[in-house]
Amino acid sequence: MNKPLFLRIVDCLSSEVPYFQHRRNAHGRYGLSALQKCTAAIRMLAYGQSGDTYDEYLRLGESTTRLCLENFTNGIIQLFRDEYLRKPNEDDLQRLLDVGEVRGFSRDDRQHRLYALGVEKLPNGLESTLNDINVLDRSPVFDDILQGRAPKVKFKVNNQTYRMAYYFTDGIYPNWSTFIQSIPLPEGPKAELFAERHESTRKDVERAFGVLQSRFTIVKNSALLWDKEKIGRIMRTCVILHNMIVENERDGYTQIDTSKFESRESSRSSKVKRRTSFNIGNMLGIRNEVRDSEKHDRLKVNLVKNVWKKFGNVDE
C-alpha cells in the first residue's frame, strides 16, 4: 500500500469514525492519533502478529492494539464496503467479457472464489469439512441470476450466441452451463491448446488470492484468537484493502488492452445491459438452465474451437 492510499484511509476513518478522532483525555492531553491506531491495525493484518508486538514501536498495549483492529475492520467495512466489496455491475461485466475475448474466451469471472474464500476460513476445524462442492451448496453466487437481479449478458463463441455467464473451475465442479473445467487428459492439438489457455487464465485468478495471503499474513495464519464473527470482518477488510490497492495500482501493471472495444466501430461480440423486468415464474427454468449439462458440453466444444481459431493459426 502506498503512502497516499494509506493517508486517504486514515483521513476517512478520522473524519467518519469517532474512535479514530484525535481527542483530549481526562487530563487534557491528546490520546492516540488516528495514524497510530491505523498503523497498528494494518500491521496486525499484514504480519499476523500478536498485539503486544507493537508496545515499544507504537506505544500501544496488547488490549489497545486488538481494540484498534476491531474498530478498524468495522470502519473499513462501513465506509468502503459498497464500493470495494460488491458484485460486478454492468461495466465490470463488460470489462471482464472484453478481457476474456482478448484471451480467446468470452467470459472470465472471478467472483466465486471470493465467496468461497470467506467461507473456508472457519474456526473449530470446520474448514476441513468444506471442500469446493460444500461451499457451492452454501454460496449465494447464483442468487442474483435466479432472482433476476443480475445484468443481462449476451456473447458469442464460435458464432453461437449464449446468454448465461460462466466461471472457470477445476474438475471437482459439476458439468453445469455456468462452469467450464479444463480437459484433464487432452488428446490432439485443439484440446491441448484449450487446456493450456484455460489453466493459464485460471492460475491468474488463483494468483490473485496468493497475493491476498502474502499481503495479509493474518489470512493464512491460524485463527484461534478470533471468533467466527471477527474472522468474517477481518476477511472482508482484507479483501476491501486488497481491492483498493489493486485499483490504485492497476494502470501501472495491466497488460491487456481492451480499448479497441470502446471505439464506435467495435468488434465486440458481447453485450451487457441492465435487467428491467423479471417474471418470478421463470426461476425454476433459470435454475434448470444454470445446471444444463448439454449446454455445458456445447459451450465447451465451441470454446475449444474458438481458442484454436484465435491462437492455433488455423482457419476452420
Side-chain angles (χ1 to χ4, degrees), residues 45-213:
L45 295 175
Y47 298 109
Q49 298 169 333
S50 60
D52 58 1
T53 309
Y54 313 107
D55 189 7
E56 295 184 7
Y57 179 69
L58 292 170
R59 307 278 182 169
L60 273 73
E62 181 177 6
S63 60
T64 304
T65 303
R66 295 183 62 158
L67 187 61
C68 288
L69 179 61
E70 184 174 349
N71 283 278
F72 181 82
T73 56
N74 291 339
I76 291 293
I77 293 171
Q78 173 189 334
L79 297 177
F80 299 108
R81 173 181 53 196
D82 292 343
E83 184 176 358
Y84 294 102
L85 192 64
R86 57 172 173 77
K87 297 180 181 179
N89 56 28
E90 291 87 346
D91 293 336
D92 297 326
L93 288 173
Q94 188 64 70
R95 180 177 59 83
L96 287 171
L97 286 164
D98 291 344
V99 170
E101 190 164 344
V102 171
R103 304 181 76 159
F105 304 100
S106 290
R107 181 65 172 153
D108 175 19
D109 198 311
R110 309 175 183 207
Q111 296 300 314
H112 181 66
R113 294 297 299 176
L114 287 175
Y115 285 108
L117 189 65
V119 177
E120 284 170 357
K121 193 172 179 63
L122 295 174
N124 303 324
L126 290 179
E127 67 277 4
S128 62
T129 66
L130 289 178
N131 58 27
D132 285 353
I133 296 300
N134 300 134
V135 170
L136 176 62
D137 290 337
R138 294 163 171 78
S139 174
V141 67
F142 293 123
D143 285 358
D144 280 0
I145 296 176
L146 298 177
Q147 297 169 13
R149 297 192 300 266
K152 296 173 68 174
V153 175
K154 182 175 74 172
F155 59 91
K156 286 186 177 181
V157 178
N158 196 36
N159 294 323
Q160 299 293 315
T161 300
Y162 294 89
R163 302 180 185 274
M164 187 75 68
Y166 62 88
Y167 299 83
F168 279 175
T169 68
D170 54 28
I172 193 174
Y173 283 85
N175 291 344
W176 293 359
S177 64
T178 47
F179 293 140
I180 295 296
Q181 306 89 348
S182 180
I183 301 174
L185 297 173
E187 297 181 2
K190 292 184 180 180
E192 289 176 357
L193 180 61
F194 174 81
E196 177 186 338
R197 303 293 301 189
H198 179 287
E199 291 164 12
S200 173
T201 303
R202 199 166 67 84
K203 282 179 181 177
D204 288 346
V205 181
E206 297 291 344
R207 232 176 258 126
F209 290 94
V211 171
L212 179 69
Q213 288 187 328

Side-chain angles (χ1 to χ4, degrees), residues 66 70 121-124 223-234:
R66 295 183 62 158
E70 184 174 349
K121 193 172 179 63
L122 295 174
N124 303 324
L224 300 178
L225 294 177
W226 315 103
D227 58 36
K228 183 177 178 180
E229 183 178 350
K230 289 181 180 178
I231 292 172
R233 289 201 297 268
I234 288 171

Side-chain angles (χ1 to χ4, degrees), residues 10-42:
V10 173
D11 290 341
C12 289
L13 290 173
S14 60
S15 61
E16 299 292 338
V17 181
Y19 178 80
F20 290 94
Q21 294 173 357
H22 202 186
R23 297 175 177 176
R24 296 180 185 272
N25 58 24
H27 299 286
R29 299 177 180 176
Y30 278 108
L32 299 170
S33 68
L35 197 61
Q36 286 175 287
K37 295 174 181 178
C38 290
T39 301
I42 289 180

